Amino acid sequence: PLYAAMEASVDLLLEMGVKRVEARVLELAEGLREVVEAAGGEVLHVGSPIAACRFGWMEAGEVARRLAERGVVVSARQGRVRVSVQYY
């Protein structure tokens, strides 16, 4: 099952086109940056599909917990909220 799922993922990526997927992921990352900054946060490593966000007014673990309550999967690492945007 694992290899079949991986094969399906690769097939989808190739069908959509790597450049198109990259452009979409970076577009989503930019949108994420805008939302984080509008909420008073900061995104480190701008231009990456993996964002490390810092909210000076709330600990990363609390931000992650509140997002999880809303069905948003992130992780709290080293005092930052880690978010990885995906194309699907």
Side-chain angles (χ1 to χ4, degrees), residues 22 25-27 29-30 33 43-51:
E22 178 184 30
V25 168
L26 293 177
E27 175 186 344
E30 177 60 20
R33 183 191 63 76
V43 175
L44 294 87
H45 314 297
V46 174
S48 170
I50 300 174

Side-chain angles (χ1 to χ4, degrees), residues 50-69:
I50 300 174
C53 309
R54 185 172 34 220
F55 299 88
W57 41 270
M58 187 181 297
E59 290 190 15
E62 180 64 13
V63 174
R65 185 188 68 74
R66 290 184 182 196
L67 289 171
E69 288 175 353

Side-chain angles (χ1 to χ4, degrees), residues 6-7 14:
M6 186 184 321
E7 181 179 6
L14 294 175

Side-chain angles (χ1 to χ4, degrees), residues 25-37:
V25 168
L26 293 177
E27 175 186 344
L28 291 170
E30 177 60 20
L32 171 67
R33 183 191 63 76
E34 291 172 2
V35 169
V36 168
E37 290 180 355

